[in-house]
Amino acid sequence: MLDEQHATIDQAEGLKRAIALGYQRIGITVSTPEDADACRHIEAREGVRVVLFGVHLTGLSKERAAKMAGLVDVMTACASVHVREETKKRALLQAGTSVPVFALTQAGKEAMLERLKDVVSPLLISRSALPHIEPHKSPRPLV
């Protein structure tokens, strides 16, 4: 924790702390393109590997969804119409249909596949155009 007294959330500072502690492969959740961009700059400067997970993205504008999709490795669709549209161009893997999670890079795909190894319930894996959305299961309204 960066600041126990105030519970400050600062993804870039958290990344710097992880690097200072010696971590080389780091996963970080980000909810803004600005946080994602800051983490990518640190990643390049420090020579570490960061897997970015875009989360809590409902309400993102079309432009911000596109920017976020260009920066993160994994992206949750939440109730975002723009995230769902953006994934049509980039998704390599999708998990779930109600609130899907998309791998947008090879690193994201590998992270998601690694996680799926631990799922004990049956899984269906099938080739499909992405995103595969079941409208009757999706949050409403999409914003």
Side-chain angles (χ1 to χ4, degrees), residues 18-34:
I19 293 167
L21 291 171
Y23 292 96
Q24 294 291 308
R25 295 175 37 175
I26 304 162
I28 300 173
T29 58
V30 291
S31 59
T32 68
E34 295 78 16

Side-chain angles (χ1 to χ4, degrees), residues 35-139:
D35 281 347
D37 191 48
C39 289
R40 287 292 182 220
H41 284 334
I42 295 166
E43 173 187 43
R45 184 180 69 232
E46 299 295 329
V48 296
R49 179 63 186 119
V50 176
V51 177
L52 294 180
F53 298 83
V55 298
H56 307 300
L57 304 175
T58 300
L60 264 145
S61 69
K62 183 175 183 173
E63 295 76 23
R64 289 175 64 77
K67 182 168 181 160
M68 183 69 98
L71 291 166
V72 300
D73 301 288
V74 176
M75 192 172 198
T76 59
C78 300
S80 172
V81 67
H82 299 303
V83 167
R84 291 163 193 259
E85 287 296 317
E86 196 59 39
T87 60
K88 288 180 184 177
K89 306 171 197 171
R90 305 172 188 260
L92 303 176
L93 176 72
Q94 175 180 335
T97 56
S98 299
V99 180
V101 178
F102 298 100
L104 304 180
T105 66
Q106 186 62 32
K109 184 176 180 180
E110 291 171 15
M112 286 179 65
L113 288 171
E114 192 62 34
R115 169 62 182 102
L116 289 172
K117 290 178 184 179
D118 296 328
V119 175
V120 294
S121 59
L123 295 170
L124 167 66
I125 301 198
S126 178
R127 292 177 51 110
S128 176
L130 299 179
H132 177 85
I133 304 294
E134 296 179 17
H136 66 282
K137 289 186 176 182
S138 295

